[in-house]
Amino acid sequence: MTLLEVTGLSKSYGKQRSVDNISFVIEAGQCVALLGPNGAGKTTTLRMLAGLLPPSAGQISFNGSLPGTDYRKELGYLPQSPAMYRWMSGLEYVVFAAKLSGIPSREAAKVSAAALERVGLAAAGRRRIGGYSGGMKQRLGLAQALVHRPKLLLLDEPVSALDPIGRREVMELLREIRGETTVIFSTHVLHDAEEICDNVILMNQGTIAVQGELSELRQQYSLPVIRLSVETGSAAAGWLESLALKPFIQASQISGGKAVFNVADVALARRAILQEAVGLNIPLLHFEAGSSTLEDLFMKVVGS
Amino acid sequence: MRKFWTLYSKEMLESLRSYRLVWIPVVFIILGIMQPLTTYYLPDILKASGDMPPGMLEGYEMPGAAAVMAQALGQYGTIGMLVLALAAMNSLAGERSSGSAELLMVKPIAPAVIIFAKWAAHLTVLFIALGLGAAAAGYYTVQLMGSLSVSDCLAAAGLYSLWLLSAVSLTLLFSAFMRGPAAAFLALLSAAGMSLLYSLLPSDFDWLPAALPDLSAGQLTEGSVAWFGPVLSAVLLILACIAGASMLMGRNKLPD
Ligand SMILES: Nc1ncnc2c1ncn2[C@@H]1O[C@H](COP(=O)(O)OP(=O)(O)OP(=O)(O)O)[C@@H](O)[C@H]1O
Ligand SMILES: [Mg+2]
């Protein structure tokens, strides 16, 4: 079922087109990473989806309704740098957010406590937000975005500002959350996207460079490459040199027991190499076939 | 309506936690009791300061209770208004620049409800401050000078609060699209501009909200005044400010 349909969405600031005619469809239950370097237009796109910025052109249709219908009730939103009232306690803030989303007072208290528990802030709930660490604030931000069980969760760089530990915590949470609702989250780190999402929209300079299912993209953009490494100081080094001369290998790079072979047919090359390795009793350390080069694609898109 | 209460309680909680709900009434109480006290003790103060030309105090006549009460309320026109404008200047500008407005505006609420809740919270603080201040002023005036008509005092305080509320509403309007200090400055400037127009050409501009302080004093000294014009224009001005702020807030919700 289609949850969100975006057609020809654009946003210009004066002459600059921050978001330039992008279209995509998001199915209910998907987790989509909005991937792109700084200034790609991720925040601008998410703000338009959240109804905070009027688009210069284009349409957003939520859950099959007419474009222009107010769907903020079904939305959870976490901005890039969430500013919550420092003088409130964490629990007070989540209750406040829950009530503004239309949950009656008594229920709001209940679901807010549950949401805090959920993000691991139950113990800190009565403390003032002013005294929270960056990771705690981000988790509180998630709690307020989740508390009313939104159909669509928009998260703007939820882990970028965090240290490795905070990042780990929030990624774990996201992994849990994505099973419950539809999530769009922006990031400039491919690895984050791969870790929790199955779909990506790769943006650069306001346009969508590539979009689709991660596994498909990986196949589509994977060059037929075989990487392998062997124990150094053995006869295996000579074997690598001999492999380079095989007809199924088009190009090779060999150095210090490591080799990268460009091949015409991965399946064929893989079978031949592995058979030889077994036959010659080669001490293989590492073998990788048809390796993903999404990283390369990302770098290419970003670099251009 | 429920969302209005949620927002209003949040504003009041903030007033309390930032001690605005304490220090503004304290300022108003101090301003209020200064007038009767200094008036009453003026001769003593002057005498104590020594080198007075003889006979200077002979002409001094203690003003009546109503006049002193009117002067006490008059104190709120300058420092009182400044304090209120400073307290209100960041209520929208601050939310916008800090980014908390962004989180507020993705919730399914009309901007008008947010503005109205803020306005109502400022109104509450104003009422508490002016109420306590006027009560304290009235108490000392009655103790030192003589009796006052309670209903006249209430009417006078009401008229005065409408003038202060106009300034607060203007601050709210300007802070919907400007930075806090600029908003307070412009609001005070507009209030001063109206006062100036009224004082230069009182007969042409006696319908302006700026006529309210005079009306408030007149209510105390004379007992009845033609309040309709200024009250109507003040109410219209306040409504326009709320409507304008709601419109602007709907547009400027992101930190700039
Ligand atoms: N209010 C604004 N006025 C003018 N230009 C803007 C405004 N907001 C964003 N832009 C421009 O739009 C472009 C996209 O910005 P955006 O914030 O969407 O990027 P982003 O992908 O979120 O980047 P980051 O990873 O740094 O958060 C940038 O070039 C930025 O300068
Ligand atoms: Mg951004």
Side-chain angles (χ1 to χ4, degrees):
Chain A
M1 196 187 73
T2 301
L3 184 69
L4 191 69
E5 187 170 355
V6 172
T7 11
L9 196 64
S10 299
K11 179 75 194 176
S12 322
Y13 289 104
K15 271 198 173 160
Q16 198 206 355
R17 314 202 77 183
S18 295
V19 170
D20 193 0
N21 194 17
I22 63 171
S23 305
F24 55 88
V25 171
I26 288 174
E27 304 291 323
Q30 276 184 337
C31 171
V32 180
L34 196 56
L35 193 59
N38 289 131
K42 305 181 296 287
T43 300
T44 310
T45 304
L46 287 177
R47 280 178 170 169
M48 285 192 283
L49 294 183
L52 287 167
L53 263 183
S56 309
Q59 288 174 338
I60 302 169
S61 155
F62 185 84
N63 217 359
S65 63
L66 280 178
T69 318
D70 184 359
Y71 55 89
R72 288 180 299 175
K73 200 172 182 321
E74 312 290 351
L75 215 58
Y77 175 65
L78 177 63
Q80 192 159 355
S81 41
M84 289 155 294
Y85 308 109
R86 301 173 58 81
W87 49 268
M88 270 194 183
S89 76
L91 182 61
E92 281 168 346
Y93 191 81
V94 182
V95 171
F96 175 66
K99 284 186 185 166
L100 290 185
S101 300
I103 301 177
S105 304
R106 196 172 299 163
E107 205 190 324
K110 222 166 46 191
V111 292
S112 303
L116 279 181
E117 179 87 49
R118 179 79 205 272
V119 300
L121 282 179
R126 305 213 167 267
R127 274 168 46 199
R128 295 275 164 92
I129 296 172
Y132 278 19
S133 71
M136 290 166 83
K137 276 192 198 138
Q138 207 70 7
R139 282 185 282 153
L140 181 65
L142 273 177
Q144 66 82 29
L146 279 173
V147 68
H148 55 292
R149 303 196 150 271
K151 284 209 175 82
L152 178 62
L153 201 53
L154 301 173
L155 311 172
D156 198 356
E157 309 217 357
V159 296
S160 300
L162 299 179
D163 66 12
I165 298 172
R167 193 185 153 279
R168 196 62 283 132
E169 290 171 352
V170 173
M171 289 301 271
E172 284 304 320
L173 261 171
L174 289 184
R175 205 192 307 276
E176 274 175 50
I177 289 163
R178 67 154 195 200
E180 292 160 25
T181 182
T182 313
V183 180
I184 304 180
F185 87 104
S186 78
T187 173
H188 53 250
V189 184
L190 175 64
H191 184 68
D192 288 350
E194 287 181 306
E195 205 171 321
I196 43 179
C197 285
D198 352 279
N199 291 273
V200 286
I201 297 175
L202 177 50
M203 285 187 79
N204 192 35
Q205 295 179 352
T207 56
I208 294 182
V210 182
Q211 61 174 321
E213 221 167 285
L214 259 175
S215 53
E216 271 173 25
L217 288 180
R218 218 179 260 127
Q219 259 176 24
Q220 194 179 333
Y221 287 92
S222 75
L223 288 173
V225 174
I226 287 181
R227 296 168 210 267
L228 59 121
S229 61
V230 294
E231 265 177 28
T232 47
S234 64
W239 174 67
L240 286 184
E241 299 290 346
S242 73
L243 272 184
L245 303 173
K246 299 274 184 207
F248 52 80
I249 288 182
Q250 296 170 326
S252 62
Q253 276 172 276
I254 303 173
S255 67
K258 288 198 170 83
V260 181
F261 297 119
N262 284 38
V263 297
D265 183 341
V266 181
L268 178 91
R270 176 169 48 199
R271 201 172 335 110
I273 293 175
L274 285 178
Q275 269 169 1
E276 266 197 31
V278 173
L280 298 173
N281 202 16
I282 300 290
L284 267 184
L285 289 178
H286 176 88
F287 184 92
E288 191 183 338
S291 69
S292 142
T293 50
L294 266 188
E295 193 78 49
D296 301 343
L297 171 71
F298 182 57
M299 293 314 291
K300 210 166 78 193
V301 166
V302 168
S304 62
Chain B
M1 197 58 202
R2 211 163 53 203
K3 288 180 187 169
F4 169 79
W5 280 113
T6 305
L7 287 162
Y8 176 77
S9 343
K10 173 226 145 198
E11 294 296 329
M12 290 314 292
L13 190 66
E14 180 174 20
S15 309
L16 197 65
R17 296 232 171 120
S18 64
Y19 299 107
R20 215 162 39 211
L21 206 51
V22 179
W23 67 264
I24 296 180
V26 167
V27 170
F28 271 67
I29 290 171
I30 293 173
L31 284 176
I33 61 183
M34 292 260 279
Q35 195 63 31
L37 285 182
T38 49
T39 311
Y40 185 75
Y41 290 110
L42 189 64
D44 296 328
I45 296 168
L46 291 179
K47 248 183 255 157
S49 70
D51 49 294
M52 285 276 305
M56 176 154 170
L57 279 178
E58 269 153 37
Y60 185 79
E61 202 179 305
M62 192 63 73
V68 172
M69 185 64 194
Q71 287 166 356
L73 286 177
Q75 296 296 311
Y76 298 137
T78 48
I79 300 180
M81 187 183 280
L82 178 70
V83 161
L84 289 169
L86 292 181
M89 70 183 187
N90 271 326
S91 66
L92 287 173
E95 294 238 19
R96 201 173 56 246
S97 67
S98 77
S100 51
E102 192 176 357
L103 275 166
L104 206 53
M105 301 298 286
V106 289
K107 299 289 178 204
I109 341 163
V113 179
I114 300 176
I115 302 291
F116 191 59
K118 282 190 184 287
W119 179 83
H122 287 300
L123 174 71
T124 310
V125 174
L126 166 63
F127 268 8
I128 292 174
L130 192 80
L132 290 176
Y139 175 78
Y140 278 97
T141 307
V142 170
Q143 293 298 313
L144 300 173
M145 318 274 170
S147 68
L148 282 169
S149 146
V150 174
S151 60
D152 280 353
C153 280
L154 282 178
L159 289 170
Y160 215 99
S161 67
L162 201 59
W163 169 234
L164 293 179
L165 191 60
S166 307
V168 170
S169 306
L170 281 167
T171 313
L172 209 60
L173 171 67
F174 291 127
S175 86
F177 63 101
M178 286 175 162
R179 290 154 56 104
F185 177 75
L186 252 179
L188 292 172
L189 197 69
S190 321
M194 281 194 282
S195 297
L196 189 69
L197 268 186
Y198 171 67
S199 64
L200 288 179
L201 299 162
S203 50
D204 287 337
F205 291 104
D206 58 357
W207 50 271
L208 276 179
L212 285 166
D214 268 8
L215 287 188
S216 162
Q219 177 74 41
L220 281 160
T221 49
E222 279 137 45
S224 76
V225 282
W227 50 267
F228 186 74
V231 167
L232 181 69
S233 69
V235 168
L236 290 179
L237 173 70
I238 291 167
L239 288 178
C241 285
I242 295 179
S246 307
M247 240 177 58
L248 291 163
M249 182 76 183
R251 276 194 225 149
N252 308 300
K253 42 202 166 191
L254 296 170
D256 21 39

